Amino acid sequence: GWNTAKETYGSFPNNRGKSAFFNDRATSVPFLIRFCKSSFSPSELFAGSNTGINFEKYDDIPVEATGQNCPHHIDSFQDVDMGEIVMGNIALSRYTRPTPVQKYAIPIVKSKRDLMACAQTGSGKTAAFLLPILSQIYNDGPGEALNAAKDNGKYGRRKHFPISLVLAPTRELALQIYDEARKFSYRSRVRPCVVYGGADIGQQIRDLERGCHLLVATPGRLVDMMERGKIGLDFCNYLVLDEADRMLDMGFEPQIRRIVEQDTMPHKGIRQTMMFSATFPKEIQILARDFLEEYIFLAVGRVGSTSENITQKVVWVEESDKRSFLLDLLSATGKDSLTLVFVETKKGADALEDFLYREGYACTSIHGDRSQRDREEALSQFRSGKCPILVATAVAARGLDISNVKHVINFDLPSDIEEYVHRIGRTGRVGNLGLATSFFNDKNGNITKDLLDILVEAKQEVPSWLESLAYEHQHKSSNRGRSKRFSGGFGARDYRQTAAGGTAGGFGGRGGRNQAAHGGTRGFGGGGFGNFYTTDAYGGNYAHSQVDWWGN
Ligand code: ADP
Ligand code: MG
């Protein structure tokens, strides 16, 4: 019965499905169940997400959409018909309303437009692309991909033809996206798969054998799979590049181009392509130009950063007192709440973890020197609450959706305010309430003024010593021209809207780009930080900073 699209990807057979839908008795609609019983239970699949949502603040976040004939945004999930399966899984996920990026991206993707979206971590990007893509797939069915898969050989030597491909920079992120995809494909016949490096490829291939309609992959492993003839992209109608800036920073551009341009993937304009990125530096603009057709550019204001959902505390703690102060904080923390502790160095992370462990705390750590496996293990122990304290370096924690963190502690403050904002954004995610405590001492002089500005802006309590320090600092140091940082609410602008962008001959072509120094200016190329919105949100300008949002 894989003839019609509806049958294939599962709208509900007669009316039985609907009533069974909202209870967990999945067995009442056996026709639609794709997963074997042992792999998960619905309560496990939809567990643990989003409690205490406080969306009022969240709704204020400005979104700017540019590009020709931009579809109108939605205000509620009901405003767009994504079909029973998607709507049901949204309900099971307890998403009551779309986040700002979802309000815009969903109708854009639904109307088959390419999309370049700049939004920071935690804004709900994953669902913003997964929901409309899955909805389209349920609608359209597998098409030629199905026959291709049938035709190409005997058991065990099959090539798989995913209809949708999501590229992500790291294995942790790929797994997160995969987990979301499993939620939103629940009770459908779409089978998500995930492949990433550093894990047994044989096992991943065996999993592909069970069917692969939506593939989440890291670029390196996917190239490997393609070269082994396990994956064909011939029928890949939906391509997503998630955290594109980070993939480039990690050096994945050759692999990405190999996958998208030098193989069998349908061309741009034929496939639908969506790119997501926290920043919009030149390298990403070039990729957007090469991969996207007549795209809509979405700039989403910062989330969480100035949000009053996060209580920010700055306390003066001498270097030598940090550990005992931390113990005080931890002993005051509820047993079930997750605490994320940021330190500056890998060594510092190991040392602090050891210390806390000896003090009897269940904790774990994540940093660049730990193996993928250890990092993954640490993350899952943290998420599950088995180790409710995670000591992390900024780089290792980057981009991870560690969602229900109650308390972020800056054991070591970063020297850069963007990094500070990014860290504290780990708490108070998608409208939850959170607390961020930062240890401050002589060493942190360079962040004083910016920190003060942030506290004031977010209407937080400002310690009087910080105020006087900032005052002193301001009079000591010459004007650093910082003011631009606060000029807009966005991390990026559509470069096509500026004089320097658009037809100005671009950026020197592909060859030139390869010689271009990496990690230089990370602005969007060409001034024009207009003030479209005067909002509470801040940030927006990375041009001054050597360090982008991700700290790379
Ligand atoms: P991003 O990719 O922008 O970093 P994610 O897609 O990882 O953000 O989403 C962050 C968290 O918010 C996840 O735990 C996700 O389940 C949750 N979330 C996303 N959209 C909604 C929504 N509409 N309502 C409630 N929670 C949501
Ligand atoms: Mg994401």
Side-chain angles (χ1 to χ4, degrees):
W2 283 63
N3 314 330
T4 70
K6 281 247 149 68
E7 260 177 61
T8 304
Y9 284 125
S11 72
F12 293 91
N14 56 56
N15 285 326
R16 274 167 45 214
K18 193 146 196 192
S19 55
F21 201 74
F22 293 98
N23 63 48
D24 280 353
R25 291 177 52 236
T27 43
S28 57
V29 279
F31 174 71
L32 293 160
I33 306 302
R34 285 285 314 171
F35 300 95
C36 65
K37 252 187 175 169
S38 58
S39 65
F40 74 98
S41 70
S43 50
E44 187 192 324
L45 189 66
F46 292 97
S49 47
N50 355 290
T51 45
I53 299 286
N54 165 15
F55 269 118
E56 281 94 76
K57 273 282 161 326
Y58 203 79
D59 253 3
D60 293 341
I61 286 150
V63 180
E64 189 186 272
T66 49
Q68 263 160 26
N69 301 322
C70 181
H72 201 267
H73 70 89
I74 55 168
D75 288 310
S76 99
F77 286 122
Q78 278 68 45
D79 290 351
V80 56
D81 181 20
M82 290 192 280
E84 273 174 300
I85 294 181
V86 168
M87 296 317 258
N89 289 334
I90 290 172
L92 282 171
S93 302
R94 279 165 286 162
Y95 288 9
T96 47
R97 49 205 293 207
T99 67
V101 69
Q102 291 164 4
K103 287 181 187 173
Y104 284 77
I106 288 173
I108 290 169
V109 177
K110 273 290 283 182
S111 54
K112 302 191 194 294
R113 295 293 300 270
D114 281 2
L115 172 67
M116 172 73 232
C118 290
Q120 78 175 103
T121 310
S123 51
K125 293 188 288 288
T126 319
F129 61 79
L130 282 180
L131 294 172
I133 288 177
L134 285 168
S135 157
Q136 308 257 86
I137 294 179
Y138 299 149
N139 237 326
D140 300 346
E144 292 166 280
L146 181 66
N147 291 328
K150 269 185 188 156
D151 287 351
N152 84 93
K154 312 243 173 322
Y155 277 160
R157 298 206 53 83
R158 270 213 295 171
K159 193 174 199 171
H160 294 273
F161 296 93
I163 300 158
S164 176
L165 171 66
V166 183
L167 289 175
T170 65
R171 129 172 176 166
E172 284 95 344
L173 276 158
L175 280 168
Q176 271 174 27
I177 297 164
Y178 169 69
D179 284 341
E180 294 283 289
R182 289 208 317 167
K183 280 194 215 172
F184 298 130
S185 60
Y186 178 55
R187 297 191 188 197
S188 79
R189 305 192 75 179
V190 167
R191 186 168 196 276
C193 283
V194 61
V195 301
Y196 46 77
D200 179 23
I201 195 165
Q203 203 175 324
Q204 289 175 358
I205 290 171
R206 282 192 294 281
D207 188 56
L208 292 175
E209 296 298 338
R210 298 170 60 200
C212 171
H213 308 111
L214 186 149
L215 180 64
V216 185
T218 55
R221 177 55 57 100
L222 177 57
V223 168
D224 193 351
M225 288 283 191
M226 287 160 69
E227 280 166 3
R228 288 167 189 248
K230 291 296 166 194
I231 298 283
L233 297 173
D234 314 47
F235 306 104
C236 181
N237 292 329
Y238 306 93
L239 169 66
V240 180
L241 276 70
D242 197 17
E243 311 222 349
D245 48 355
R246 217 175 141 210
M247 288 200 280
L248 293 195
D249 284 338
M250 291 171 73
F252 280 137
E253 182 167 355
Q255 286 94 330
I256 292 173
R257 290 199 182 270
R258 157 89 175 76
I259 292 162
V260 178
E261 297 179 324
Q262 294 150 28
D263 215 274
T264 51
M265 184 180 289
H267 290 274
K268 74 171 174 182
I270 296 169
R271 64 163 194 265
Q272 202 182 338
T273 311
M274 290 132 271
M275 279 175 61
F276 292 83
S277 181
T279 56
F280 199 47
K282 221 165 229 180
E283 297 87 338
I284 298 295
Q285 296 171 25
I286 295 165
L287 218 56
R289 186 197 59 188
D290 293 352
F291 289 0
L292 304 176
E293 179 104 338
E294 299 262 307
Y295 60 91
I296 304 288
F297 180 90
L298 265 193
V300 181
R302 296 259 190 117
V303 186
S305 45
T306 53
S307 152
E308 290 153 37
N309 289 340
I310 305 171
T311 305
Q312 301 175 56
K313 293 206 161 122
V314 181
V315 286
W316 185 279
V317 187
E318 296 293 349
E319 222 46 45
S320 55
D321 297 332
K322 279 185 172 176
R323 286 186 171 187
S324 67
F325 200 94
L326 178 63
L327 292 183
D328 283 351
L329 281 183
L330 292 177
S331 62
T333 304
K335 264 219 180 96
D336 309 323
S337 41
L338 304 185
T339 303
L340 180 55
V341 185
F342 280 107
V343 295
E344 200 56 49
T345 63
K346 300 170 195 169
K347 259 174 90 177
D350 276 337
L352 192 62
E353 184 193 357
D354 279 352
F355 169 75
L356 290 174
Y357 183 76
R358 275 182 275 117
E359 292 292 328
Y361 284 96
C363 66
T364 181
S365 73
I366 183 163
H367 61 69
D369 279 353
R370 300 199 67 182
S371 69
Q372 280 288 0
R373 183 181 251 273
D374 286 349
R375 286 159 64 168
E376 204 173 292
E377 174 85 10
L379 201 63
S380 87
Q381 288 186 328
F382 180 62
R383 280 219 190 92
S384 69
K386 221 166 141 195
C387 293
I389 302 168
L390 178 67
V391 180
T393 58
V395 178
R398 197 142 295 154
L400 300 177
D401 172 33
I402 306 174
S403 49
N404 50 339
V405 177
K406 282 279 149 56
H407 197 173
V408 168
I409 299 175
N410 284 308
F411 189 85
D412 301 317
L413 264 169
S415 54
D416 181 275
I417 198 67
E418 268 95 24
E419 177 61 36
Y420 172 84
V421 171
H422 186 50
R423 288 187 190 178
I424 70 168
R426 304 286 127 171
T427 184
R429 301 260 280 169
V430 193
N432 292 287
L433 300 173
L435 174 65
T437 307
S438 301
F439 296 178
F440 190 105
N441 62 37
D442 292 331
K443 279 180 146 182
N444 308 114
N446 52 355
I447 203 179
T448 317
K449 181 63 173 72
D450 290 340
L451 191 57
L452 178 73
D453 288 347
I454 292 228
L455 294 180
V456 170
E457 202 175 83
K459 304 193 178 75
Q460 301 293 306
E461 215 174 287
V462 178
S464 54
W465 55 261
L466 187 71
E467 227 162 345
S468 23
L469 265 184
Y471 185 78
E472 279 169 34
H473 211 259
Q474 197 172 26
H475 287 261
K476 262 196 315 214
S477 62
S478 58
N479 186 355
R480 291 196 285 126
R482 186 198 311 109
S483 58
K484 265 197 179 158
R485 175 168 291 141
F486 298 96
S487 64
F490 300 112
R493 291 252 181 276
D494 187 351
Y495 76 94
R496 297 173 303 182
Q497 306 266 309
T498 70
T503 55
F507 336 89
R510 214 168 290 164
R513 134 108 188 100
N514 290 336
Q515 268 107 53
H518 201 77
T521 307
R522 305 195 51 95
F524 64 90
F529 283 89
N531 24 0
F532 298 85
Y533 290 91
T534 322
T535 66
D536 270 344
Y538 62 86
N541 188 352
Y542 293 94
H544 294 286
S545 171
Q546 285 289 73
V547 180
D548 70 4
W549 183 253
W550 301 108
N552 292 300

XYZ file of all heavy atoms in Angstrom, residues 409-452:
347
model
N 26.578 29.050 36.203
C 27.571 29.719 37.044
C 28.820 30.005 36.220
O 29.427 29.093 35.669
C 27.931 28.849 38.266
C 26.676 28.608 39.127
C 29.036 29.515 39.096
C 26.882 27.669 40.296
N 29.174 31.265 36.131
C 30.443 31.634 35.505
C 31.517 31.598 36.572
O 31.807 32.593 37.219
C 30.355 33.023 34.876
C 29.594 33.015 33.572
O 29.886 32.224 32.678
N 28.599 33.885 33.471
N 32.062 30.415 36.768
C 33.156 30.253 37.722
C 34.311 31.145 37.262
O 34.928 31.832 38.050
C 33.565 28.776 37.735
C 34.527 28.393 38.810
C 34.086 28.062 40.075
C 35.893 28.338 38.537
C 34.988 27.688 41.074
C 36.792 27.973 39.511
C 36.350 27.644 40.786
N 34.565 31.105 35.980
C 35.462 32.076 35.350
C 34.641 32.873 34.345
O 34.007 32.287 33.461
C 36.597 31.378 34.587
C 37.443 30.498 35.482
O 37.779 30.938 36.609
O 37.768 29.364 35.078
N 34.622 34.166 34.478
C 33.929 34.990 33.501
C 34.709 35.005 32.192
O 35.940 34.954 32.205
C 33.813 36.424 34.020
C 32.522 36.826 34.723
C 32.701 38.172 35.404
C 31.351 36.874 33.757
N 34.017 35.077 31.084
C 34.751 35.216 29.819
C 35.246 36.651 29.693
O 34.798 37.532 30.413
C 33.679 34.919 28.775
C 32.406 35.341 29.427
C 32.567 35.086 30.897
N 36.122 36.891 28.748
C 36.621 38.252 28.578
C 35.757 39.013 27.581
O 35.959 40.182 27.327
C 38.071 38.216 28.095
O 38.136 37.413 26.939
N 34.794 38.351 27.076
C 34.038 38.871 25.957
C 32.554 38.847 26.298
O 32.026 37.842 26.757
C 34.331 37.931 24.783
C 33.638 38.359 23.542
O 32.462 37.987 23.383
O 34.277 39.045 22.734
N 31.870 39.940 26.068
C 30.485 40.027 26.506
C 29.543 39.142 25.688
O 28.567 38.611 26.210
C 29.988 41.501 26.527
C 28.731 41.634 27.388
C 29.734 42.022 25.118
C 28.950 41.403 28.862
N 29.858 38.965 24.415
C 29.010 38.076 23.612
C 29.023 36.664 24.183
O 28.012 35.982 24.236
C 29.467 38.025 22.151
C 28.771 39.040 21.259
C 29.595 40.304 21.128
O 30.823 40.222 21.317
O 29.014 41.369 20.856
N 30.201 36.253 24.588
C 30.321 34.933 25.189
C 29.501 34.853 26.480
O 28.844 33.860 26.759
C 31.798 34.616 25.447
C 32.062 33.296 26.148
C 31.569 32.081 25.373
O 31.654 32.095 24.133
O 31.088 31.135 26.026
N 29.532 35.934 27.244
C 28.734 35.972 28.469
C 27.252 35.778 28.150
O 26.566 34.965 28.754
C 28.961 37.306 29.192
C 28.024 37.525 30.370
C 28.309 36.988 31.622
C 26.851 38.257 30.213
C 27.445 37.180 32.690
C 25.977 38.455 31.267
C 26.272 37.912 32.507
O 25.407 38.090 33.550
N 26.793 36.526 27.177
C 25.387 36.452 26.794
C 25.028 35.043 26.330
O 23.993 34.487 26.691
C 25.082 37.465 25.669
C 23.693 37.248 25.104
C 25.224 38.883 26.200
N 25.922 34.482 25.577
C 25.687 33.136 25.072
C 25.590 32.130 26.218
O 24.696 31.294 26.264
C 26.820 32.758 24.130
C 26.614 31.459 23.451
N 25.448 31.132 22.804
C 27.421 30.398 23.323
C 25.557 29.926 22.317
N 26.743 29.447 22.617
N 26.495 32.249 27.158
C 26.490 31.316 28.292
C 25.219 31.425 29.115
O 24.605 30.424 29.454
C 27.680 31.605 29.195
C 29.000 31.196 28.620
C 30.046 31.377 29.688
N 31.390 31.228 29.160
C 32.476 31.385 29.904
N 32.357 31.704 31.197
N 33.667 31.234 29.372
N 24.856 32.660 29.454
C 23.698 32.774 30.335
C 22.420 32.385 29.595
O 21.432 32.020 30.211
C 23.559 34.168 30.984
C 23.164 35.217 29.959
C 24.823 34.555 31.737
C 22.728 36.519 30.593
N 22.490 32.427 28.265
C 21.348 31.964 27.473
C 21.069 30.478 27.612
O 20.065 29.977 27.122
N 21.945 29.763 28.285
C 21.722 28.331 28.556
C 20.622 28.124 29.573
O 20.111 27.027 29.740
C 22.985 27.674 29.123
C 24.185 27.813 28.271
C 24.010 26.946 27.207
N 24.156 27.511 25.929
C 24.189 26.711 24.872
N 24.086 25.424 25.029
N 24.299 27.233 23.708
N 20.355 29.167 30.313
C 19.260 29.057 31.263
C 18.159 29.981 30.752
O 18.364 30.747 29.824
C 19.719 29.424 32.693
O 18.642 29.222 33.583
C 20.201 30.869 32.785
N 16.988 29.870 31.324
C 15.901 30.704 30.846
C 15.577 30.440 29.393
O 15.161 31.327 28.677
N 15.784 29.193 28.950
C 15.593 28.890 27.533
C 14.125 28.791 27.168
O 13.338 28.238 27.915
C 16.263 27.558 27.199
C 17.738 27.568 27.485
C 18.548 27.782 26.261
N 18.684 26.546 25.501
C 19.161 26.538 24.293
N 19.500 27.645 23.711
N 19.296 25.400 23.657
N 13.787 29.282 26.008
C 12.421 29.281 25.523
C 11.454 29.585 26.665
O 10.534 28.842 26.947
C 12.050 27.968 24.823
C 10.745 28.124 24.046
C 13.137 27.541 23.857
N 11.706 30.682 27.305
C 10.738 31.186 28.261
C 10.779 30.610 29.661
O 10.000 31.006 30.504
N 11.673 29.653 29.930
C 11.755 29.167 31.302
C 12.515 30.180 32.159
O 13.285 30.977 31.660
C 12.480 27.817 31.351
C 11.658 26.727 30.694
O 10.660 26.287 31.240
N 12.067 26.342 29.511
N 12.318 30.093 33.454
C 13.021 31.009 34.341
C 14.383 30.440 34.693
O 14.545 29.242 34.829
C 12.203 31.232 35.611
C 10.818 31.842 35.359
C 10.009 31.883 36.644
C 10.953 33.228 34.761
N 15.342 31.303 34.816
C 16.682 30.816 35.124
C 17.498 31.809 35.922
O 17.118 32.963 36.088
N 18.607 31.306 36.422
C 19.494 32.110 37.241
C 20.908 32.005 36.697
O 21.355 30.924 36.300
C 19.440 31.581 38.688
C 20.406 32.186 39.698
C 20.115 33.654 39.940
C 20.333 31.405 41.023
N 21.593 33.133 36.646
C 22.990 33.121 36.217
C 23.825 33.869 37.245
O 23.529 35.007 37.578
C 23.134 33.781 34.851
N 24.827 33.189 37.783
C 25.698 33.816 38.781
C 27.119 33.886 38.233
O 27.627 32.895 37.713
C 25.711 32.986 40.083
O 24.367 32.772 40.514
C 26.486 33.715 41.178
N 27.723 35.051 38.334
C 29.076 35.196 37.808
C 30.040 35.616 38.907
O 29.746 36.535 39.685
C 29.100 36.249 36.707
O 28.230 35.874 35.674
N 31.174 34.931 38.960
C 32.227 35.293 39.911
C 33.108 36.353 39.259
O 33.626 36.141 38.175
C 33.084 34.072 40.257
C 32.342 32.968 40.960
C 33.007 31.782 41.290
C 30.999 33.092 41.315
C 32.339 30.753 41.933
C 30.329 32.068 41.957
C 31.004 30.890 42.269
N 33.243 37.426 39.949
C 33.983 38.560 39.384
C 35.116 38.931 40.324
O 34.953 38.926 41.535
C 33.010 39.740 39.238
C 33.545 40.905 38.451
C 33.114 41.133 37.158
C 34.476 41.776 39.011
C 33.597 42.209 36.424
C 34.963 42.848 38.292
C 34.523 43.066 36.990
N 36.279 39.214 39.769
C 37.369 39.784 40.559
C 38.291 40.615 39.670
O 37.960 40.866 38.504
C 38.118 38.687 41.336
C 38.765 37.661 40.421
O 39.268 38.023 39.345
N 38.746 36.397 40.830
N 39.427 40.991 40.228
C 40.376 41.871 39.510
C 40.651 41.445 38.073
O 40.879 42.278 37.204
C 41.725 41.886 40.241
C 41.619 42.578 41.574
O 40.761 43.478 41.674
O 42.363 42.211 42.502
N 40.645 40.138 37.884
C 40.995 39.617 36.560
C 39.992 40.009 35.462
O 40.282 39.849 34.280
C 41.022 38.086 36.610
C 42.291 37.492 37.176
C 42.142 35.996 37.154
C 43.439 35.266 36.878
N 43.195 33.808 36.831
N 38.796 40.409 35.873
C 37.730 40.599 34.893
C 37.481 42.039 34.497
O 36.425 42.377 33.966
C 36.436 39.971 35.431
C 36.643 38.539 35.866
O 36.536 38.203 37.043
N 36.991 37.691 34.907
N 38.466 42.872 34.766
C 38.324 44.297 34.480
C 37.812 44.614 33.087
O 36.945 45.471 32.910
N 38.278 43.847 32.124
C 37.952 44.180 30.732
C 36.485 44.019 30.356
O 36.041 44.542 29.357
C 38.836 43.376 29.773
C 38.780 41.898 30.080
O 38.148 41.497 31.071
N 39.421 41.092 29.271
N 35.739 43.299 31.175
C 34.336 43.076 30.815
C 33.395 43.995 31.612
O 32.180 44.009 31.395
C 33.961 41.581 31.015
C 32.758 41.204 30.140
C 33.704 41.250 32.466
C 32.355 39.760 30.253
N 33.990 44.777 32.505
C 33.192 45.556 33.464
C 32.092 46.394 32.824
O 30.921 46.271 33.176
C 34.104 46.507 34.273
O 35.268 45.796 34.644
C 33.403 47.021 35.505
N 32.499 47.215 31.881
C 31.538 48.160 31.334
C 30.413 47.450 30.569
O 29.232 47.755 30.749
C 32.290 49.138 30.409
C 31.417 50.211 29.760
C 30.774 51.138 30.797
C 30.053 52.308 30.150
N 28.810 51.909 29.482
N 30.803 46.489 29.754
C 29.799 45.757 28.980
C 28.840 45.001 29.887
O 27.642 44.916 29.633
C 30.480 44.766 28.028
C 31.212 45.481 26.896
O 30.886 46.655 26.647
O 32.092 44.863 26.279
N 29.398 44.444 30.936
C 28.577 43.681 31.875
C 27.563 44.600 32.552
O 26.381 44.274 32.668
C 29.494 43.015 32.916
C 28.882 41.974 33.838
C 28.235 40.848 33.043
C 29.952 41.406 34.768
N 28.052 45.755 32.938
C 27.166 46.734 33.564
C 26.026 47.100 32.608
O 24.856 47.102 32.988
C 27.952 47.992 33.946
C 27.119 49.121 34.559
C 26.701 48.771 35.977
C 27.885 50.433 34.536
